[in-house]
Amino acid sequence: MTARILDGTKLAAEIRAEVSAEARAMASSAIRPGLAVVLVGHNPASEAYVRGKVKSSQEVGLYSETHTPAETETTEELLALIADLNRRDEIDGILVQLPLPAHVDAKKILLAVDPAKDVDGFHPMNVGYLSTQRPGLVPCTPAGVMEILNRSAIPVAGQEAVVIGRSDIVGKPVAMLLLNQNATVTVCHSKTRDLPEVCRRADILVAAIGRAGMVTRDYVKPGATVIDVGINKITDRKEFDRFFSGNKKREETFAKNGSTLVGDVHPEVAEVAGAITPVPGGVGPLTIAMLMANTVKAAKMRRGQRVPELARK
Ligand code: NDP
């Protein structure tokens, strides 16, 4: 059996088209949802992520601006910038690109973002809204995971779901979203006993660990849906062979770039799972699409407009 591939690139394009249509409809009442991205210092990976976010904002017709304070900027100076963005009415979403430099009090900065503009969904107020099932802004990657499940007509209610990882950014919010859609949820982490055995209970297995190919076939019940959130860069030939030996397309990428991406799930899992997200092209593309959706959602909620639940079809 080979698993059905859940194509995140296609689903993300679908969502972006919907967001773009919503943005156009809002333009008729002279509203243009606006996103402000704050990028402190010069981390190349962060710069690449921010470029992607700005490009996507332009494509779907949102207003966007990028603030690039110097690496040396103090917590107080950054707080002043956030306060200014909080005040400006044309800004609906504020995204502070992480990681922040070590000398900056990141928790203080994230807490300063107006929860109504917190398009990353990291503010404790939005975390509370999510856990009490009130309308709010939901973190982008977890929201993307639910879009993949819902739009692929994979049943969630009543299903056994196992999430590996308990980070505030991915694991915990994914678990909460699954619970809110009536799955029976188990959350695993580095201290979990008999991890493969626990995972084999899952009808839906979500891996958000940050360890290349850790989830092998013995973690997966035949026919289960596997959502691979992990993004790990492989540069070592031996490691490459462990995952992609005999895969011509991957060979080409690896030869050309000297690296390739692998998720937290070993590619062999596609032989036992019922459905699986690829890496790249699975959860990744959904993250930016959901940021766009969140910016429009924030623009509507701030103006007291009704917001449809995107993740519940
Ligand atoms: P964190 O490092 O914050 O969390 C990792 C989690 O995995 C922790 O809860 C940790 O447990 C758990 N873990 C680590 N090792 C093991 C193990 N051997 N067995 C069981 N559990 C383990 O990572 P994130 O949640 O931020 O990210 C997870 C992955 O998702 C990364 O690969 C990241 O790159 C990717 N990611 C992808 C995104 C996308 O857009 N597709 C967006 C965000 C992240 P413990 O709590 O006990 O330490």
Side-chain angles (χ1 to χ4, degrees):
M1 187 175 88
T2 309
R4 167 184 170 204
I5 301 298
L6 304 172
D7 184 348
T9 306
K10 189 167 146 252
L11 294 173
E14 219 174 273
I15 292 169
R16 278 200 307 274
E18 290 168 16
V19 171
S20 185
E22 279 190 72
R24 271 199 306 277
M26 291 173 88
S28 63
S29 33
I31 299 166
R32 190 169 182 213
L35 173 67
V37 181
V38 179
L39 171 63
V40 185
H42 289 288
N43 175 331
S46 294
E47 283 174 342
Y49 286 136
V50 167
R51 272 197 303 276
K53 289 167 185 176
V54 170
K55 184 166 164 265
S56 191
S57 307
Q58 286 161 351
E59 281 167 6
V60 299
L62 310 184
Y63 166 74
S64 77
E65 59 182 41
T66 309
H67 297 261
T68 53
E71 182 92 35
T72 50
E73 203 96 329
T74 63
T75 301
E76 282 63 37
E77 285 167 322
L78 291 172
L79 286 173
L81 170 60
I82 301 293
D84 184 47
L85 296 172
N86 282 343
R87 258 192 310 269
R88 285 174 53 202
D89 196 43
E90 72 276 24
I91 298 299
D92 296 293
I94 302 171
L95 184 142
V96 181
Q97 184 65 44
L98 299 175
L100 286 168
H103 69 272
V104 173
D105 187 340
K107 281 207 168 144
K108 213 167 172 181
I109 301 290
L110 295 183
L111 202 59
V113 173
D114 178 350
K117 298 188 177 187
D118 167 41
V119 281
D120 253 339
F122 295 159
H123 193 286
M125 191 87 93
N126 281 314
V127 176
Y129 288 150
L130 176 60
S131 75
T132 53
Q133 291 189 270
R134 290 180 168 86
L137 294 164
V138 174
C140 300
T141 303
V145 168
M146 298 314 292
E147 288 297 325
I148 292 178
L149 293 172
N150 293 159
R151 287 174 189 255
S152 308
I154 290 163
V156 176
Q159 302 294 295
E160 287 278 347
V162 174
V163 180
I164 321 176
R166 56 172 161 181
S167 71
D168 292 339
I169 295 173
V170 190
K172 275 189 219 162
V174 164
M176 196 55 77
L177 286 163
L178 287 162
L179 183 62
N180 288 351
Q181 286 196 26
N182 299 316
T184 302
V185 184
T186 305
V187 184
C188 301
H189 45 78
S190 64
K191 308 288 185 293
T192 299
R193 258 191 295 125
D194 304 327
L195 185 63
E197 193 185 309
V198 177
C199 292
R200 276 198 302 273
R201 280 193 229 143
D203 301 306
I204 298 169
L205 179 62
V206 181
I209 316 163
R211 286 179 193 258
M214 193 187 98
V215 175
T216 47
R217 63 163 70 228
D218 52 318
Y219 285 62
V220 180
K221 175 166 81 175
T225 297
V226 179
I227 307 288
D228 189 356
V229 183
I231 302 176
N232 309 287
K233 195 172 176 177
I234 288 186
T235 51
D236 179 65
R237 178 77 223 185
K238 259 203 213 123
E239 217 185 355
F240 176 88
D241 287 340
R242 188 157 75 86
F243 298 122
F244 300 115
S245 170
N247 182 329
K248 275 219 176 104
K249 216 168 140 205
R250 290 283 189 163
E251 280 284 357
E252 280 167 23
T253 322
F254 194 68
K256 195 167 128 222
N257 306 332
S259 68
T260 190
L261 295 180
V262 69
D264 291 339
V265 176
H266 195 295
E268 70 179 19
V269 168
E271 292 161 25
V272 279
I276 193 166
T277 57
V279 175
V283 176
L286 268 295
T287 299
I288 291 188
M290 296 316 292
L291 174 65
M292 303 299 110
N294 268 355
T295 305
V296 169
K297 187 177 177 184
K300 288 189 167 175
M301 282 172 49
R302 289 181 60 234
R303 291 169 180 83
Q305 295 179 13
R306 206 182 68 83
V307 177
E309 268 308 330
L310 205 62
R312 277 185 214 189
K313 301 201 84 184

